[in-house]
Amino acid sequence: MAVGQMTTVMADVIKHAKSNIPETIALPTKWLYMYESFISQNASSVSQIESALRSLTYIIPGRFREAEIASETLHSGVQLLSLYHDSLLARAISRLPPSLPRPLPTLHNRYTKFWTAKSSLYRRVALLLQTIQYTELLWEMAAKRRGEKIRWRVVVVLEMVKAFCRLLMMRLTNSRPLVSPPLPDREVDPRTAEASNTDKTQWDGMQTPPISETGSDALSWTMPRTGLSLPNLPDSTEITEYLLQKVLTADDIKAPKQLLHRMTTVQGQIAESMWILRPVIYALAMQRWQSDKKSWRPWLLGVSLELAARQVAKKDLAERVAGGLRGLTGLEREELKKRGWSMGWWAMRGAFYENVTKSWIHSMTAKLKGKPLLDMVGNVIEDYEYLWTEYYFSTATL
């Protein structure tokens, strides 16, 4: 009898458990949907929180020497979470009705959105590349604890994987130059933009500007014969600004894939390939002469490759594009400017940093010692000086 009762109880328990399985399985999906809704409805607040956390990892004094892995894990986690939020917001914006007015997207966003929508492989490769860039310094820190040989192997492998991703993206875009970053930037929610626009009291070019009761005389003109008052015209600068916002440039009406010219010549493809492979060659050279940090050979090799790639690319554009360098699109000029500014990081790398920049930083931080507020700035610079000295990826730009 007892055995029969126990069997009945066990059967009821199993039946009850089976009935709850679908609800339990559906819980993660429900939580994910709730999280996505929260992010899409509070995009501006989420962006502020991400910026605050990112800034916190930048300015905490002494963070690199005492808890470098923990701090970099936080920084990488915020970057990856921000990347996930970008995809959530892009998905939420794509579901909005087409009738809702949207802000004019940047040239970079138009170009990258086109390729991520057209090619799923491009989207996956770009996502992999972006993920590696956000976590590469963390990988190097973890590898360094197992020795310098392991560290440099990890650095070289990561640079090879990134170079392969870039070469594949160049192939997928039909031999077009790469843009940085390869994924679209975070979009502005049209609902938020529309709400902010309705709150503005500036003249929009269509409505009569509001006249306050106290300043009605200053904003109106009374006709001497009839005694009726007419409002003054708005400021001409406001009219000009409004009209300029409505003007479409040549790049605005181009198809997204035409925002970058194809590299139809061997010279252009060689220049872009040199620029892509430069970090791999520089990392291999740094691995070869890792025992001598002050050796100029890796630094000169890396700088020469990047300068050569830049000059060959400019020469190719001048010969291939109608109008030469003046005929470049806005996106091409923007990317060339980014690459030009990134060359300034060579002052923080290799032999140039060890022989020139490092001593200058030490002298500057010594002058800031003992001075209010400036002393704190000097401490932060010293913490970054440790990072620049010990880790390769701290000054990587690709």
Side-chain angles (χ1 to χ4, degrees):
M1 185 69 179
V3 174
Q5 290 178 351
M6 185 176 296
T7 304
T8 304
V9 171
M10 290 296 295
D12 292 340
V13 170
I14 293 173
K15 183 179 180 181
H16 181 69
K18 285 184 178 180
S19 64
N20 289 336
I21 285 177
E23 295 180 4
T24 305
I25 294 176
L27 278 177
T29 306
K30 182 180 178 181
W31 293 339
L32 189 62
Y33 176 76
M34 292 173 60
Y35 182 74
E36 180 178 348
S37 299
F38 174 79
I39 295 299
S40 60
Q41 293 171 7
N42 302 274
S44 58
S45 300
V46 170
S47 298
Q48 291 176 0
I49 294 173
E50 290 172 355
S51 299
L53 289 174
R54 208 174 285 117
S55 301
L56 185 65
T57 61
Y58 287 147
I59 64 176
I60 294 178
R63 72 183 184 101
F64 300 116
R65 302 189 186 188
E66 298 175 3
E68 53 189 15
I69 292 225
S71 179
E72 189 59 30
T73 300
L74 174 62
H75 180 71
S76 299
V78 171
Q79 295 286 74
L80 293 176
L81 188 62
S82 176
L83 189 62
Y84 175 62
H85 290 167
D86 290 347
S87 65
L88 291 183
L89 291 172
R91 197 182 313 158
I93 292 173
S94 65
R95 295 171 183 165
L96 296 176
S99 58
L100 188 65
R102 286 168 167 78
L104 191 65
T106 62
L107 299 179
H108 174 269
N109 271 19
R110 286 182 58 208
Y111 180 80
T112 50
K113 280 183 67 177
F114 170 79
W115 287 110
T116 51
K118 181 179 180 180
S119 172
S120 60
L121 181 57
Y122 176 93
R123 184 175 64 253
R124 295 191 189 100
V125 172
L127 184 60
L128 173 61
L129 177 60
Q130 199 81 3
T131 303
I132 293 175
Q133 287 180 313
Y134 285 157
T135 59
E136 59 191 6
L137 183 55
L138 182 61
W139 284 108
E140 184 183 2
M141 288 179 175
K144 186 178 175 64
R145 298 200 169 189
R146 302 188 61 182
E148 287 295 317
K149 288 186 178 180
I150 301 296
R151 172 203 167 198
W152 281 110
R153 286 176 188 171
V154 169
V155 168
V156 171
V157 168
L158 289 176
E159 290 291 13
M160 286 182 174
V161 173
K162 291 194 297 181
F164 175 76
C165 290
R166 291 189 175 99
L167 289 171
L168 184 56
M169 286 193 297
M170 187 175 72
R171 174 65 178 171
L172 291 172
T173 56
N174 299 323
S175 299
R176 285 180 172 83
L178 300 178
V179 294
S180 179
L183 291 172
D185 295 325
R186 180 170 297 183
E187 298 182 70
V188 179
D189 192 335
R191 295 166 297 183
T192 307
E194 187 179 25
S196 62
N197 288 335
T198 55
D199 292 339
K200 292 181 180 179
T201 58
Q202 294 182 355
W203 182 70
D204 63 357
M206 300 297 293
Q207 299 175 353
T208 302
I211 301 176
S212 61
E213 295 180 0
T214 56
S216 58
D217 294 337
L219 296 176
S220 62
W221 175 73
T222 303
M223 291 184 286
R225 188 173 65 85
T226 61
L228 298 176
S229 61
L230 293 176
N232 287 338
L233 291 175
D235 188 2
S236 59
T237 58
E238 295 180 1
I239 301 175
T240 304
E241 291 176 1
Y242 173 78
L243 293 176
L244 287 176
Q245 291 175 358
K246 304 300 179 181
V247 172
L248 292 178
T249 63
D251 291 336
D252 292 330
I253 60 177
K254 284 182 179 178
K257 65 179 181 180
Q258 294 178 351
L259 294 174
L260 287 181
H261 291 92
R262 288 186 59 196
M263 296 176 293
T264 54
T265 63
V266 177
Q267 180 177 323
Q269 295 179 10
I270 289 176
E272 190 70 9
S273 300
M274 286 173 60
W275 181 77
I276 291 172
L277 295 174
R278 190 275 305 162
V280 179
I281 298 172
Y282 178 65
L284 288 170
M286 290 292 289
Q287 183 186 33
R288 169 67 177 81
W289 287 287
Q290 60 180 291
S291 58
D292 185 10
K293 288 186 175 182
K294 295 188 175 182
S295 174
W296 284 95
R297 283 170 287 189
W299 190 87
L300 290 173
L301 180 61
V303 170
S304 301
L305 281 172
E306 189 155 347
L307 280 174
R310 184 173 176 82
Q311 293 304 316
V312 173
K314 280 188 173 183
K315 182 180 178 183
D316 175 68
L317 288 171
E319 296 174 353
R320 176 169 48 87
V321 178
L325 295 178
R326 293 183 178 180
L328 299 180
T329 65
L331 185 57
E332 286 172 329
R333 288 193 294 268
E334 180 183 332
E335 186 61 28
L336 279 176
K337 188 182 295 184
K338 283 183 183 178
R339 296 185 185 186
W341 280 107
S342 67
M343 291 199 66
W345 278 100
W346 282 106
M348 307 299 296
R349 296 182 189 140
F352 194 95
Y353 177 77
E354 294 291 335
N355 296 313
V356 180
T357 313
K358 193 173 184 178
S359 59
W360 179 80
I361 290 176
H362 285 170
S363 63
M364 183 181 68
T365 53
K367 294 178 181 178
L368 299 178
K369 292 292 184 182
K371 297 180 180 180
L373 297 179
L374 295 178
D375 186 45
M376 184 182 297
V377 176
N379 291 334
V380 173
I381 293 175
E382 285 182 349
D383 294 332
Y384 272 95
E385 188 271 331
Y386 167 77
L387 186 69
W388 297 326
T389 303
E390 297 295 327
Y391 295 105
Y392 166 89
F393 282 120
S394 61
T395 57
T397 55
L398 279 180

